[in-house]
């Protein structure tokens, strides 16, 4: 073997290492792309108002203004608005997860005329922007006297969500038919089959659906702004509307600091539930 020749197995190893290097480079780049906006938000929350308005841009604060976070927390009823957001998000997330599971079970395991057509309409409804349905929905709730209450989120939760229905339908369709056949032989109805057999099996999708629905509701600004008064407003509305000067000018550094504290609960929920979230997405064929 000459000095320049390579061992027989060295070429595949070099190729594998090169592929890994490219993969890690792409992953690090994507991580920086996704984390970058949040990092910039944190930096803005640590700047003074003058630094935010300066030109050219001050990338790093001269002195870290940690007091901005304390001011953002104390200038408004931060915990009260966070409580309102938590109540709405929990109500909606729990109800829409269960109702979507029930509808998904029906599409996956029951037979009825026009089932495929109805499922196609359901999937097609995901393309409708929220603004198209929000105004008619507001008029309905106004007629029913439900404006400035949390009842709209109860009804939205009971109505299921098309995307979550799709997740559950995909998962339930993959379970063996023998499960329900054995239950039917034992005298169980489809309600019992759903609650006692299929739903306990679907904990990965339940976890993923709950996280998704909680994020939707926690991050929603338009519906709470339209339907709720100031006392019952959510944290998203408070962050965008209450940090202003006497002239009505937004105080950007306090808004940034409050936004960081507003995002942290969602990050914690995802970090806690990430294993179930990933498992839920992979078991529904969306890996």
């Amino acid at each position: 073997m000459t000095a320049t020749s390579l061992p027989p197995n060295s070429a595949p190893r070099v190729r594998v290492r090169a592929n890994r290097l490219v993969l890690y480079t792409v992953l690090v780049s994507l991580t920086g792309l996704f984390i970058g906006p949040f990092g910039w938000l944190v930096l803005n929350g640590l700047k003074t108002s003058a630094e935010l308005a300066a030109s050219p841009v001050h990338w790093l604060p001269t002195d870290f203004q940690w007091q901005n976070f304390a001011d953002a927390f104390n200038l408004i009823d931060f915990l009260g608005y966070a409580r309102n957001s938590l109540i709405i998000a929990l109500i909606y997330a729990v109800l829409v997860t269960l109702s979507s599971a029930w509808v998904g079970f029906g599409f996956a395991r029951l037979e009825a005329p026009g089932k495929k057509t109805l499922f196609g309409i359901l999937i097609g409804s995901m393309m409708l922007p929220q603004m198209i349905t929000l105004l008619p929905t507001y008029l309905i709730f106004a007629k029913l006297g439900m404006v400035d209450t949390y009842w709209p989120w109860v009804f939205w939760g009971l109505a299921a969500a098309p995307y979550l229905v799709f997740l559950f339908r995909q998962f339930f369709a993959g379970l063996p038919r023998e499960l329900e056949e054995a239950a039917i032989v034992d005298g169980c109805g489809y309600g019992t089959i759903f609650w006692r057999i299929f739903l306990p099996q679907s904990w990965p999708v339940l976890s993923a659906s709950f996280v998704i629905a909680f994020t939707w509701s926690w991050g929603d600004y338009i519906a709470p702004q339209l339907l709720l008064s100031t006392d019952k407003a959510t944290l998203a509305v408070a962050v965008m509307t209450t940090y202003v000067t006497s002239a009505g000018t937004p105080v950007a550094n306090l808004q940034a600091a409050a936004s960081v504290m507003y995002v942290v609960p969602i990050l914690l929920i995802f970090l806690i539930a990430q294993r179930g979230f990933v498992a839920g997405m992979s078991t529904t064929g969306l890996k």
Side-chain angles (χ1 to χ4, degrees), residues 15-83:
R15 191 179 305 111
V16 169
R17 291 176 181 176
N19 291 338
R20 287 180 178 177
L21 179 60
V22 172
L23 177 62
Y24 292 154
T25 302
V26 172
L27 291 177
V28 170
S29 301
L30 290 176
T31 301
L33 181 64
F34 288 119
I35 294 179
F38 182 71
W40 182 246
L41 185 67
V42 173
L43 290 177
N44 285 343
L46 294 171
K47 295 177 182 178
T48 63
S49 298
E51 287 176 327
L52 281 176
S55 182
V57 176
H58 282 209
W59 294 100
L60 295 175
T62 304
D63 294 315
F64 290 99
Q65 304 295 317
W66 297 104
Q67 186 62 31
N68 288 344
F69 289 88
D71 292 341
F73 186 86
N74 294 322
L75 285 177
I76 65 172
D77 185 10
F78 197 92
L79 290 180
Y81 289 121
R83 182 186 64 247

Side-chain angles (χ1 to χ4, degrees), residues 73-176:
F73 186 86
N74 294 322
L75 285 177
I76 65 172
D77 185 10
F78 197 92
L79 290 180
Y81 289 121
R83 182 186 64 247
N84 295 342
S85 292
L86 182 62
I87 292 173
I88 289 176
L90 286 176
I91 290 174
Y92 177 76
V94 171
L95 291 179
V96 81
T97 297
L98 293 177
S99 61
S100 299
W102 178 245
V103 177
F105 173 79
F107 276 117
R109 314 303 291 199
L110 303 180
E111 296 297 332
K115 185 180 75 170
K116 292 183 179 180
T117 302
L118 287 175
F119 187 70
I121 295 173
L122 179 76
I123 297 301
S125 67
M126 290 193 296
M127 295 185 291
L128 292 176
Q130 182 188 18
M131 293 301 298
I132 292 179
T133 60
L134 190 57
L135 184 57
T137 303
Y138 172 80
L139 295 176
I140 293 173
F141 288 138
K143 291 289 186 181
L144 296 175
M146 295 181 182
V147 175
D148 201 23
T149 69
Y150 294 155
W151 280 106
W153 282 267
V154 174
F155 284 100
W156 279 327
L158 293 174
Y163 179 65
L164 301 185
V165 170
F166 174 75
L167 291 183
F168 280 105
R169 187 260 185 190
Q170 294 297 98
F171 178 82
F172 289 142
L175 294 180

Side-chain angles (χ1 to χ4, degrees), residues 158-261:
L158 293 174
Y163 179 65
L164 301 185
V165 170
F166 174 75
L167 291 183
F168 280 105
R169 187 260 185 190
Q170 294 297 98
F171 178 82
F172 289 142
L175 294 180
R177 182 68 63 176
E178 289 78 12
L179 284 175
E180 63 189 271
E181 290 177 351
I184 292 173
V185 170
D186 289 339
C188 296
Y190 277 102
T192 303
I193 293 172
F194 171 73
W195 287 106
R196 293 191 177 183
I197 299 176
F198 277 69
L199 196 64
Q201 295 285 336
S202 64
W203 69 266
V205 193
L206 287 172
S207 176
S209 298
F210 180 84
V211 172
I212 292 172
F214 190 94
T215 304
W216 286 345
S217 183
W218 183 271
D220 187 16
Y221 168 80
I222 299 176
Q225 173 74 344
L226 186 63
L227 294 170
L228 299 176
S229 63
T230 303
D231 293 337
K232 295 182 179 179
T234 60
L235 192 56
V237 176
V239 168
M240 294 301 298
T241 59
T242 55
Y243 295 104
V244 294
T245 63
S246 57
T249 305
V251 184
N253 56 342
L254 294 186
Q255 280 187 338
S259 298
V260 172
M261 294 186 288

